[in-house]
Amino acid sequence: MGRVYYVSKNVGLGMLVLATIALATIIALSIAYDKERAKNRGKPENEATDSTSMPTPLTTPSTPKEPWDHYRLPDSLVPVSYNVTLWPRLRPNADGMYLFTGYSAVIFSCVKETDLIIIHSNKLNLTNFYGHHAKLSGLGDATAPTIQKTWLVVKTHYLVLQLRSALAVGASYVLHTEFQGELADDLEGFYRSEYTEDGVKKVVATSQMQATYARKTFPCFDEPAMKAVFTVTIIHDQGTVALSNGREIDSVIDGMPLRVTTFEPTERMSTYLLAFIVSDFVNIQSTQNSNLLIRIWARRKAIEDRQGDYALNVTGPILQFYEHYYNATYPLSKSDQIALPDFNAGAMENWGLVTYRETALLYDPIMSSTGNKERITTVIAHELAHMWFGNLVTLQWWNDLWLNEGFASYVEYLGADYAEPTWNIKDQIILYDVHKVFAVDALASSHPLSRREEEVNTPAQISEMFNTISYSKGAAVLRMLSEFLTEPVFAKGLSSYLNTFAFGNTVYTDLWDHLQQAVKNTPGMHIPHTVHNIMNRWTLQMGFPVVTIDTRTGSITQKHFLLDPDSESVLPNPGNAHIQMRVSGEDWVLANTNVSGYFRVNYDLDNWDRLLSLLNTNHQALSIINRAQIIDDAFNLARAKIINTTLALRTSKYLAKERDYIPWESALRNLDYYILMFDRTEVYGALQLYLKKQIQPLFEYFKTITANWTKVPTGHTDRYNQINAIGIACSMGVDGCRELIKSWYRQWMESPHHNPIHPNLKTTVYCSAIAFGGVEEWDFAWRMFKNATLASEAVRLRSAMACTKVPWLLNRYLEYTLDPTKIRKQDATSTIQYIARNVVGMPLAWNFVRARWSYIFQHYGRGSFSFSNLVNGITKRFSTDFELQELKKFKEDNLHVGFGSATLALEQAIEKTTANIKWVTENKAHVLKWFTEEST
Ligand SMILES: *[C@@H]1O[C@H](CO)[C@@H](O)[C@H](O)[C@H]1NC(C)=O
Ligand SMILES: *[C@@H]1O[C@H](CO)[C@@H](O)[C@H](O)[C@H]1NC(C)=O
Ligand SMILES: *[C@@H]1O[C@H](CO)[C@@H](O)[C@H](O)[C@H]1NC(C)=O
Ligand SMILES: *[C@@H]1O[C@H](CO)[C@@H](O)[C@H](O)[C@H]1NC(C)=O
Ligand SMILES: *[C@@H]1O[C@H](CO)[C@@H](O)[C@H](O)[C@H]1NC(C)=O
Ligand SMILES: *[C@@H]1O[C@H](CO)[C@@H](O)[C@H](O)[C@H]1NC(C)=O
Ligand SMILES: [Zn+2]
């Protein structure tokens, strides 16, 4: 074991031989880790062992004096167990407020002498006990000190008790609180979600605790390492059901209208994984995995329409897969999953009661698309992966979030692949994580995966950890590590990590230690450095390398890859290696097979030529993801000015023969930049002719395999590529495409209750039909939009209406966006973005937004994430001096109004416009020439 073939190199004609280049060599060489530099940046190599030498963090210039001014709890008290009773009111009180009341008793033990009790509590009104906010008693022989005073600290979310004497080390106490909170519709903590069924408004009480909202539900030690056992009781109306992490053990009628449901005590767990739900939802269930109860919960109508069936079908197999993969049984006695009408995140891995957006759990066999189905499978696989990794074993603190999320984002592909083995879903990590995060991690403004514990304190700093780098780069480097160690060794280390730390907490280096142990216990396995050393290069430094292979000399060099050639690399660039990479004649070298490595690859021009001619003559000699990788690497190397733009464009020539989705998708994503830069210039005519020529065979291919568009392709990714084929063919003017979609749309207009368009194709067909139609097509879409009962159908229509090329229709639609009776407030900014995406709509949207900035800002701009997307969306095409001046003027003119959450986006827009102007100036003539030559 231990030798992983990482570079394939063909030797001799037609014979593909794997060269004996260990992956380790490249990984170890990539971004050589510079200890001195890292120390200067205050980042110790090993957080676990070097902690004594850690310098004081630069981020906290003045250390707060009082313990309750720190965002982190003191280490003097540890919780053991809680009894929590909650009573949410699903009807408003006389003041129109929705409330919940509750009671909690927490047993904690004292491990360091202290006369202070500091516990989290946020936005709760606490009942007084004899003038104090809480009551304290001793457990067993312990006598509780008397309380001198209690107070709340709003900034740090604490309830503080000052005692007259110290708590005894080793003794345990009980803290009792009674409280009242608001069951607001704020999607945080214990909150309220509303929906309408059969014309009746229904209210659901549900919860989202991650990361810092458990403290808004009941007073608790709200940090992930403060694990405890929770015994939960929920009081609720008859006719509703109460759910929580544990299995319900008793539900008795207590007085006429009320029911009291008690749950089995949880395992030892973190507060951020708690969940409490009261609803009138119903479930479907199975006990296919021996004794484990598996349930899917949703609105009655959704369950009756069998929208939960698919989720129930895949949950059992996915849990079985993880039990085998982790070599550990599912740690709980039941698995509930519930679809909520209002939910902020996509899903949340509460232990034993996972919450989802409806679109991430409910599958409608008639209305949902293949893409909807895939999302359901991968989201379920992601959340269930956390039941062990994250929930059973939990990272000590939020700075290590990348390991938790990166891990789940990697293994979700394994779990989904087990549930749907025909989908080839593991390959898609290239598109949805690796290439996606490459784009962000190639910017000079990127940051390392790992943060020091001291750098992450406030709730806002914790929220910032939930980003693309944590999820997707985390997934990419863990996948690399797993393939490098081989999956059996990776799984062995993982299993020993999970079994060792079950119900406890860890830091990320604990995983490295267990993987190292697994390597050691594998006979014959050698790796050139410790797991620890190898992974430091990827986790402590930002960015990734471009590895350059010169097949004339055999040399391999690497440097930090930055998209903007003018930005300064902050990383060292050492490490030349000479590993028989010399080839000649028709032999070629392709590095990073499987794209297991988190880096890009460049070659000498001769080898590029040989790879291109291989693509043109026999592209199937390379794997699907390697084809996608060659395209994505080439286009990005060209953007970074490492290779010539025409070389990148040449990677798209073989596409006329390509039938697979991943390479096509990769090329279209890259060509999209060319479309945006040139669709208002003479280059576009030539580009259109070229792409038309390239897409035509794909269009014909799908026409054939679907028997003149009467069937759905059987292959999972073929279904996606069919969407690309139709969308691109119609917009590039392939014969027959527009007529086809127009006739489908016509049929629908003629019988609105019978939509003949397959759900997979709806988004594309609606858009094309409206783009090539007039007011009649538009008005029909508007009527269908107003009548839509399925949220995803409404979204498809709302985006399609932005596709019209008729200016007055676009302007009227823009006006609709500011009328909440026409377009819901939450959808306004995304609708304007859809319009700006259209080349005709872009200037109209820009004028519209400029003219009404202060109105839009006041009514639509408060703290919303979508606001920066609005600025990004509108300015995406900006690539002329004139537009740059307009943008700067817009900034000056509206300084008094402000830009709120779009402030940074505006700065980035100015920066990107500047870069676009430069790129267009340098490349336009070559690109025009190339497309002209290639389109004939
Ligand atoms: C918690 O509830 C259990 C069962 O109702 C009870 O036996 C126990 O005394 C309670 N603990 C505290 C600290 O109130
Ligand atoms: C908490 O108390 C304040 C002050 O009395 C009151 O304004 C607020 O409505 C209360 N909140 C809840 C949820 O009871
Ligand atoms: C769920 O599984 C059953 C039994 O295999 C199957 O008949 C049904 O079509 C599946 N439902 C969905 C939505 O996949
Ligand atoms: C699985 O776990 C058991 C016990 O926990 C252990 O004996 C066994 O070696 C593990 N298997 C693997 C492949 O790690
Ligand atoms: C790219 O290559 C072409 C032809 O080989 C050459 O004419 C052109 O100057 C090069 N472009 C750039 C930007 O270097
Ligand atoms: C598709 O249509 C063409 C021309 O209209 C016809 O010749 C061909 O037989 C059709 N193919 C199928 C499978 O229906
Ligand atoms: Zn996750």
Side-chain angles (χ1 to χ4, degrees):
M1 296 293 295
R3 220 168 46 193
V4 182
Y5 301 117
Y6 206 60
V7 174
S8 49
K9 165 180 162 186
N10 84 329
V11 179
L13 288 172
M15 194 169 57
L16 188 71
V17 174
L18 296 176
T20 57
I21 304 291
L23 161 66
T25 316
I26 285 189
I27 289 185
L29 139 105
S30 298
I31 311 198
Y33 178 61
D34 184 331
K35 268 191 190 143
E36 277 317 303
R37 210 178 258 265
K39 281 220 179 87
N40 292 341
R41 285 166 53 225
K43 191 176 288 282
E45 188 177 341
N46 179 341
E47 296 188 1
T49 57
D50 282 10
S51 54
T52 48
S53 64
M54 259 188 224
T56 357
L58 302 166
T59 46
T60 33
S62 61
T63 312
K65 291 219 175 46
E66 304 295 353
W68 51 82
D69 293 330
H70 290 258
Y71 283 94
R72 294 295 302 275
L73 290 167
D75 56 3
S76 39
L77 308 176
V78 293
V80 177
S81 68
Y82 295 77
N83 282 358
V84 186
T85 300
L86 293 169
W87 181 10
R89 311 300 202 281
L90 303 188
R91 275 182 293 272
N93 67 7
D95 302 329
M97 248 174 121
Y98 289 81
L99 298 175
F100 67 91
T101 51
Y103 164 81
S104 165
V106 50
I107 300 179
F108 62 89
S109 59
C110 173
V111 293
K112 271 191 192 166
E113 194 178 282
T114 180
D115 59 1
L116 277 178
I117 297 174
I118 298 184
I119 186 168
H120 284 108
S121 177
N122 185 27
K123 297 188 180 167
L124 296 172
N125 284 352
L126 297 161
T127 308
N128 272 333
F129 293 98
Y130 308 104
H132 298 306
H133 287 109
K135 203 168 74 182
L136 184 68
S137 51
L139 199 70
D141 297 341
T143 328
T146 51
I147 300 172
Q148 184 186 343
K149 60 173 178 169
T150 63
W151 68 98
L152 296 164
V153 187
V154 173
K155 184 170 167 234
T156 44
H157 303 163
Y158 285 136
L159 160 64
V160 186
L161 285 79
Q162 173 68 62
L163 308 174
R164 290 196 191 278
S165 57
L167 297 166
V169 172
S172 294
Y173 305 87
V174 190
L175 184 74
H176 307 264
T177 49
E178 258 179 47
F179 48 87
Q180 174 164 314
E182 187 183 354
L183 198 66
D185 56 357
D186 56 0
L187 312 171
E188 293 172 357
F190 203 22
Y191 73 91
R192 174 176 103 246
S193 167
E194 292 174 0
Y195 71 99
T196 312
E197 198 165 77
D198 300 328
V200 181
K201 191 179 99 171
K202 307 271 182 93
V203 177
V204 173
T206 181
S207 64
Q208 166 66 30
M209 303 310 188
Q210 195 183 29
T212 54
Y213 304 127
R215 62 188 70 167
K216 190 170 165 280
T217 307
F218 65 102
C220 55
F221 296 93
D222 196 11
E223 292 191 357
M226 295 287 189
K227 288 194 171 184
V229 170
F230 297 83
T231 304
V232 175
T233 303
I234 296 181
I235 302 171
H236 55 108
D237 286 353
Q238 284 195 44
T240 62
V241 279
L243 296 172
S244 187
N245 305 80
R247 203 165 170 159
E248 53 278 21
I249 43 180
D250 196 21
S251 188
V252 298
I253 296 171
D254 176 33
M256 219 1 234
L258 290 180
R259 191 166 263 283
V260 178
T261 300
T262 48
F263 300 88
E264 66 181 357
T266 66
E267 297 291 348
R268 224 177 145 257
M269 65 179 284
S270 305
T271 48
Y272 82 89
L273 293 167
L274 289 167
F276 311 110
I277 300 177
V278 174
S279 71
D280 63 351
F281 285 8
V282 296
N283 76 81
I284 45 171
Q285 55 179 270
S286 79
T287 44
Q288 61 198 79
N289 297 23
S290 58
N291 292 325
L292 180 61
L293 173 65
I294 298 175
R295 294 184 296 196
I296 306 294
W297 296 84
R299 290 178 287 111
R300 177 177 296 278
K301 182 87 172 54
I303 293 294
E304 281 172 2
D305 288 349
R306 313 201 66 96
Q307 292 178 8
D309 291 13
Y310 180 69
L312 187 64
N313 279 5
V314 294
T315 296
I318 291 174
L319 286 175
Q320 270 164 4
F321 169 79
Y322 288 131
E323 289 194 329
H324 180 77
Y325 179 68
Y326 293 136
N327 190 24
T329 50
Y330 179 73
L332 308 176
S333 66
K334 62 105 168 162
S335 160
D336 278 324
Q337 296 176 94
I338 185 166
L340 296 163
D342 284 301
F343 193 64
N344 215 4
M348 175 64 210
E349 71 264 23
N350 312 303
W351 215 10
L353 176 52
V354 185
T355 45
Y356 294 84
R357 272 189 187 198
E358 289 198 349
T359 50
L361 192 69
L362 302 182
Y363 174 76
D364 184 320
I366 296 161
M367 299 287 280
S368 300
S369 67
T370 299
N372 297 149
K373 191 175 194 176
E374 183 182 299
R375 175 165 152 79
I376 291 163
T377 321
T378 53
V379 176
I380 291 176
H382 179 103
E383 303 311 326
L384 296 182
H386 279 308
M387 297 300 116
W388 291 260
F389 200 100
N391 299 7
L392 177 63
V393 179
T394 310
L395 274 318
Q396 179 88 19
W397 184 243
W398 300 109
N399 62 312
D400 278 347
L401 182 84
W402 72 269
L403 183 59
N404 191 23
E405 290 306 345
F407 185 87
S409 301
Y410 164 52
V411 301
E412 71 180 61
Y413 290 95
L414 311 187
D417 181 59
Y418 183 79
E420 294 286 0
T422 62
W423 287 2
N424 272 329
I425 198 159
K426 286 197 216 167
D427 284 355
Q428 294 193 37
I429 194 171
I430 303 310
L431 290 175
Y432 299 113
D433 290 292
V434 182
H435 287 172
K436 177 174 153 201
V437 72
F438 268 168
V440 183
D441 208 16
L443 302 177
S445 59
S446 190
H447 62 81
L449 271 177
S450 190
R451 297 255 165 110
R452 293 168 59 218
E453 189 168 341
E454 291 78 357
E455 292 173 339
V456 181
N457 292 298
T458 67
Q461 288 165 341
I462 294 168
S463 297
E464 266 179 48
M465 303 304 295
F466 292 81
N467 59 38
T468 307
I469 297 280
S470 294
Y471 280 73
S472 295
K473 183 175 183 177
V477 302
L478 289 166
R479 172 171 172 270
M480 172 167 72
L481 179 61
S482 172
E483 298 204 6
F484 160 57
L485 297 178
T486 71
E487 199 178 297
V489 174
F490 185 78
K492 199 154 80 176
L494 190 59
S495 160
S496 103
Y497 165 87
L498 290 172
N499 285 307
T500 305
F501 298 106
F503 307 107
N505 293 83
T506 55
V507 291
Y508 75 90
T509 50
D510 291 325
L511 179 61
W512 300 165
D513 292 343
H514 282 260
L515 292 171
Q516 187 66 47
Q517 199 58 40
V519 169
K520 207 177 136 204
N521 294 342
T522 305
M525 178 149 191
H526 289 289
I527 55 174
H529 290 272
T530 60
V531 170
H532 206 101
N533 267 330
I534 291 169
M535 291 313 286
N536 276 350
R537 292 160 165 79
W538 303 97
T539 61
L540 302 186
Q541 304 179 106
M542 71 175 207
F544 57 89
V546 48
V547 172
T548 302
I549 299 178
D550 189 333
T551 62
R552 293 163 307 180
T553 60
S555 84
I556 299 184
T557 54
Q558 55 97 22
K559 68 173 190 177
H560 183 187
F561 179 80
L562 288 163
L563 194 62
D564 178 358
D566 298 332
S567 46
E568 277 294 313
S569 171
V570 296
L571 300 176
N573 280 330
N576 288 7
H578 297 267
I579 342 168
Q580 295 107 45
M581 292 292 12
R582 251 170 83 178
V583 293
S584 59
E586 291 187 6
D587 294 349
W588 46 267
V589 167
L590 179 80
N592 204 4
T593 52
N594 260 332
V595 197
S596 326
Y598 187 67
F599 52 83
R600 293 200 181 280
V601 191
N602 186 21
Y603 308 95
D604 59 288
L605 282 179
D606 292 341
N607 194 62
W608 272 116
D609 281 337
R610 292 190 293 257
L611 285 175
L612 291 184
S613 77
L614 181 69
L615 281 179
N616 284 313
T617 53
N618 181 19
H619 66 276
Q620 285 175 332
L622 299 174
S623 72
I624 292 174
I625 53 179
N626 280 132
R627 272 128 65 189
Q629 170 217 11
I630 289 176
I631 295 168
D632 198 65
D633 278 351
F635 274 92
N636 283 280
L637 291 167
R639 286 278 295 278
K641 289 212 223 169
I642 296 171
I643 64 170
N644 191 320
T645 299
T646 56
L647 176 54
L649 287 169
R650 283 166 61 206
T651 63
S652 73
K653 279 185 70 174
Y654 93 99
L655 288 172
K657 296 192 193 120
E658 181 61 86
R659 301 289 173 264
D660 276 300
Y661 166 67
I662 296 179
W664 259 112
E665 178 68 17
S666 201
L668 292 175
R669 286 182 187 187
N670 282 296
L671 286 168
D672 192 50
Y673 182 69
Y674 288 67
I675 294 177
L676 287 171
M677 289 303 103
F678 297 127
D679 65 1
R680 297 171 296 164
T681 74
E682 71 271 29
V683 177
Y684 193 63
L687 184 156
Q688 213 173 7
L689 282 177
Y690 173 71
L691 254 185
K692 179 179 168 184
K693 186 174 117 187
Q694 298 300 84
I695 200 85
Q696 176 110 35
L698 194 70
F699 182 76
E700 298 300 334
Y701 169 77
F702 280 109
K703 184 176 175 179
T704 308
I705 69 164
T706 61
N708 292 339
W709 312 108
T710 58
K711 291 199 280 198
V712 177
T714 42
H716 178 70
T717 53
D718 284 347
R719 295 178 178 183
Y720 294 154
N721 218 21
Q722 183 196 15
I723 302 169
N724 278 339
I726 294 182
I728 301 295
C730 281
S731 60
M732 297 303 145
V734 169
D735 288 343
C737 187
R738 293 179 189 179
E739 292 67 25
L740 178 71
I741 54 96
K742 275 186 190 167
S743 76
W744 285 340
Y745 196 79
R746 273 273 143 212
Q747 283 177 45
W748 187 31
M749 283 174 73
E750 278 155 21
S751 56
H753 296 292
H754 182 76
N755 186 340
I757 307 161
H758 192 276
N760 288 352
L761 301 177
K762 280 179 174 175
T763 303
T764 301
V765 170
Y766 295 173
C767 174
S768 302
I770 290 169
F772 304 117
V775 62
E776 231 186 302
E777 283 77 8
W778 202 96
D779 285 350
F780 175 75
W782 178 257
R783 278 203 306 283
M784 293 298 104
F785 169 70
K786 285 316 238 181
N787 293 339
T789 50
L790 188 75
S792 58
E793 179 70 4
V795 175
R796 292 164 186 153
L797 286 160
R798 192 162 54 82
S799 79
M801 286 184 287
C803 296
T804 178
K805 308 286 182 200
V806 181
W808 73 267
L809 285 176
L810 288 165
N811 271 331
R812 186 178 71 175
Y813 197 23
L814 281 167
E815 297 294 339
Y816 285 4
T817 63
L818 298 189
D819 178 352
T821 65
K822 293 197 159 69
I823 299 288
R824 277 159 66 204
K825 226 173 156 176
Q826 63 174 30
D827 296 330
T829 56
S830 65
T831 306
I832 299 173
Q833 276 175 73
Y834 293 145
I835 296 172
R837 173 76 223 185
N838 174 344
V839 64
V840 180
M842 190 278 275
L844 306 178
W846 174 220
N847 287 340
F848 180 80
V849 167
R850 276 192 292 180
R852 289 147 210 259
W853 182 255
S854 82
Y855 183 85
I856 296 176
F857 184 72
Q858 260 171 29
H859 293 83
Y860 294 85
R862 295 275 163 249
S864 79
F865 179 60
S866 63
F867 220 49
S868 59
N869 288 345
L870 178 66
V871 170
N872 281 335
I874 290 182
T875 59
K876 245 192 175 118
R877 270 193 189 79
F878 282 16
S879 50
T880 64
D881 263 323
F882 180 67
E883 281 160 343
L884 181 63
Q885 296 322 315
E886 280 189 336
L887 198 53
K888 287 181 173 166
K889 181 151 192 312
F890 169 67
K891 186 182 159 189
E892 274 168 35
D893 290 352
N894 290 289
L895 279 177
H896 65 288
V897 180
F899 302 97
S901 59
T903 308
L904 182 63
L906 186 63
E907 288 309 317
Q908 288 171 339
I910 291 174
E911 210 177 306
K912 281 190 248 171
T913 304
T914 311
N916 289 345
I917 293 171
K918 216 165 112 198
W919 187 85
V920 168
T921 310
E922 283 167 11
N923 289 285
K924 189 172 168 187
H926 296 297
V927 171
L928 175 60
K929 182 161 170 279
W930 194 86
F931 279 131
T932 309
E933 283 167 9
E934 293 299 330
S935 58
T936 49

